[in-house]
Structure formats: structure tokens, C-alpha cells
Amino acid sequence: MPDLGLNVLFKGKNLARLLGGLGVALKISLLSVVISIVLGIVVGLLMTWKNPISRALMRCYLEIVRIMPQMVLLFLVYFGTTRIFGWNLSGETSSVIVFSFWGAAEMGDLVRGALISIPRHQYESAAALGLSGGQTYRYIVLPQTVRRLIPLSMNLITRMIKTTSLVLMIGVVEVLKVSQQIIEANRMSSPNAAFGVYLTVFALYFFACWPISLLAGFLEKRWR
Amino acid sequence: MAEKEMTELKKGAPLLVVDHLTKRFADLTVLDGISLTVHEGEVIVIVGPSGCGKSTLLRCLNALEDIQGGEILLHGERISQNNKNLTELRQRVGMVFQSYELFPHLNVLDNILLAPTRVQKRKREEVKEEAMALLARIGLESKAESFPRQLSGGQKQRVAIIRALCMHPEVMLFDEVTAALDPEMVREVLDVILELANQGKTMLIVTHEMQFARAIADRVIFLNEGGICEEGPPEEFFDHPKTERAKQFLQTFTFSRKRS
């Protein structure tokens, strides 16, 4: 069996460092997810408004986010704002800003989709029972929207976690950066470490995202 | 005319008055100055070719549609989308839809209890007792905890009727409630409506079931191209329709084949 270079993981605090890196990645994605959900609900509501200006603005926002590579956004916020506005944003803050900017747009689109998927008749049958607009949202529309939204947003959350691997480009020491450091440091003693360490990173991402996928599947089945 | 007054005499006081109701969708006039008085305890069946405005008429009576002319009065109070009291008025007008429209995230009991407890602020226990009694009446008490997706179409529609009844409406509107059902489920739903008629419930029913219309109606209204083309007691309308249009319409329900 060839040397997979797994032994470097047990040198010093390497494994703990990797897990710490994963922690940084999860922290960035978790913060971004929470902000995205809150802002995404607002964006989604604006997208379903009858006002054409708010709809057009939200449409543009969503298109920009979809077209622009996240990496470019990261560079723009991290390097660009320092030059233009003199802001000294940390890598982590820049990442959270970019991921929230991205997540709010995508979450907004999911919220919009969930809202318009509630049939018009549901509103009507609530109205026919004498429910006010507020009551209709509270007891009929929102519970159904959330049920449709959660499995969909799980997908977005796992995508966010995976995309945090980009933030090493603006100097955030997350799991991928740590693994590069470990590989570099052991280049001479275990040249095969690249395989073993990246394999471990792969496994770490997998175990971070898998439970979320499972939860999504479970909720989808339960709420149908 | 004398006959019409007779049928009105049999019934109670006017409950719902529709006066020159006009409804337009953009340039299309769907209802063209309809006038109609519904008396307490009266069962009115509205029939007519598709697109004649039957469903729209019912939807206007509940202010689910805005109207462009005329007015609708429930005990003298105006039903319109601008009325601040609209939610209170809607509680007094029960409506059952063609596609049931139960709330899919709530079980049968919660579907029924939602409006009485949240809108009318009645005690849950009290409404529950009433709901369970009604469910038992239609043989669905064992389904109280089931979700709508676990029920057949006929069961869903019967639950929808009970959901509307639990608000104690003064008048019930049925909008083609059996149109989406398999033939063998139509009966169980119509039986529930028949029982309500026997209890003296005031009802407006839009239906394509002519046998049922004939059996249940105190008065049949034949709607054509947005206007009342003909109205009268069911025997008269079905056996001796006066207008050519009504004759034509009724003929679409009879079949015959030339045999040599």
C-alpha cells in the first residue's frame, strides 16, 4: 500500500489545527446563513410586491449576484474597499459581507418562489372564513412557506459551506489554508501528505454538510 | 308572477339582496346588472352554461371579487371590498370551493377550528365539541387527526363544508363543489348539502348536477351571458323551460340515439 501521507495529521497539533480551520469556515458560513435568512425574507417579500421599482431593483440584485463570481466579490470587498474608502476590513468580515450579499439574494429568490407557490385559493379560502390579511399570513401562508423553504435553503447552506474554501484567497486561515500550511511544512519529510491531508479536508467538508442534507431530506418527507 | 310571490311568501325575510350587480374583468362584462333576493331558509340553485358568470356571482357575494356597479346587502349591510367590516361580514357568509381548499399544513380538526378560535375568539373546547359532533354526523370523526392529503376528495369536501358551518354563517355558498370529484364521491357530498337544506339552511348552490338541483332547489336561476335568463321553481324550469336558451341548455343533459 502506498504511503498516503496520513501520518502528518498526527504530528504536533495538526489535526486540531485542521479542525480549527473547519471551525472558521463553519463560523463564516453560519453567520452568513443567519444574516441571509433574515435579509432573504425581506428581499423575497420585495420581489413579490406589486411595486415595479422594487421588483426591478431586486431582479437586478439577483442577476448581479448570479453572474458575478464570488471570488471577484471577495476581492472587491477585501482589497477594493481598502483602496477606495480606506476601510480596513478583516478577511473574515469581508467574507461574511460577501456571503451574506450572495445568500440574501439567493434566499430571497427561494422565499419568493415559496410565497408564490402558495395557491391563490389558499388566500381566498382564508378570506372566506373571515381571516384578516395578517391572520392569513400568520396562520396560513407563513407556515406553508417555511415548510417549503427549509428543505430548499438547506441546499443553499451546504453550498455556502463549500464555497467558504474561496476565502483563503483573501488571507482567511480556514480549513483549506491550514491544510496547505501543513503540506508545505512537511514537504520534505512526507511528500505524499498532499493526498492524505486533502482527503481529510474532503472528509471534513463531507461530515459538515452531510447532516444538513439528511435533515433536509427528513424535513421534506415529514412536511411533504 | 303570482307564483313567484307565492314562493317568496313561503320563505322568511330577505337575507341577501343583490341589486343591479355589475362585474367586469377589464373590458369583458361578466355580470350585467343582476338583481336577486335571497330569503331566509331559501335554497337557490344557479345553473347555466360555462362562462355565464355563475361562479363569479358567488365570489362577488363574498367580496372575493370587486364589483363595478350595483350593490350587495346582507341584512342591509353592504358587502364590498372597501367595507372595513368585511372580515366580520365574511364570517356570516360561508363558502365552499370546487377544489376544497383545506389548509394542507393543518389536520382536519385544526382546519375546522382555526377560524372559529382565531377569528371569532370562541373557546377551543366548545368549538371542538361542535366540530366533533358534525364530523361524527358525516362519519369522519376518526379522521379528525388526519391531514388533508390522507383524505379522499369527497372526504375533503365534506370537511370543507363543516369548516364553513362551524362559523355559523347565515348563508352558505357552494361553488361547483362536486365538479372535481369522482362520480362515486359526488353522492356523499350532495347528501350532506341535502341534509343542510332539510335543516332550513339558506344556501346558494352553483352546480352541474341537474337531478340534484331539481331535488334541492326552492328556486332555480338560469344564468346566461351575465344575466338572469330565467328563474322559477325547479319543476317549472326543468319540465317547462320558457326561454329558448334554457331549453337548449337543458338538452345538453339528455342523450338519445336513433335506432332503426
Side-chain angles (χ1 to χ4, degrees), chain B residues 4 61 70 73 116 128 140 144 147 149 157 159 187 215 220 230 247:
Chain B
K4 199 173 151 195
L61 298 184
L73 301 170
K128 187 177 169 184
L140 287 181
F147 282 87
R149 62 173 178 273
Q157 195 57 290
V159 170
R187 180 82 206 200
V220 176
E230 187 169 338
K247 280 178 199 159

Side-chain angles (χ1 to χ4, degrees), chain A residues 159-179:
Chain A
R159 268 165 61 214
M160 276 196 177
I161 293 175
K162 288 185 289 188
T163 316
T164 50
S165 57
L166 290 181
V167 303
L168 74 93
M169 300 299 293
I170 55 168
V172 179
V173 184
E174 46 70 74
V175 61
L176 207 57
K177 187 72 199 170
V178 174
S179 62

Side-chain angles (χ1 to χ4, degrees), chain B residues 231-244:
Chain B
E231 65 174 298
E235 299 77 24
E236 200 180 293
F237 174 76
F238 287 108
D239 296 337
H240 312 288
K242 290 192 278 281
T243 58
E244 205 47 46

Side-chain angles (χ1 to χ4, degrees), chain A residues 119-122 124-133 135 138-141 143-144 147-148 222-224, chain B residues 59 62 64 87 90-91 93 95 97 99 101-106 114-115 118-119 121 149 163-164 167:
Chain A
R120 187 179 53 113
H121 269 108
Q122 287 281 305
E124 289 184 347
S125 93
L129 285 166
L131 270 72
S132 66
Q135 287 171 326
R138 180 163 165 209
Y139 299 116
I140 310 299
V141 178
Q144 292 187 54
R147 279 168 167 77
R148 281 168 207 216
R222 177 151 164 214
W223 286 339
R224 226 187 48 132
Chain B
R59 292 165 55 81
N62 213 349
L64 288 177
T87 57
R90 275 174 169 159
Q91 293 170 41
V93 181
M95 183 152 187
F97 298 87
S99 46
E101 294 309 327
L102 297 179
F103 305 126
H105 62 295
L106 299 175
L114 179 72
R118 299 294 183 184
V119 179
K121 314 279 182 210
R149 62 173 178 273
R163 183 174 70 175
M167 295 294 283

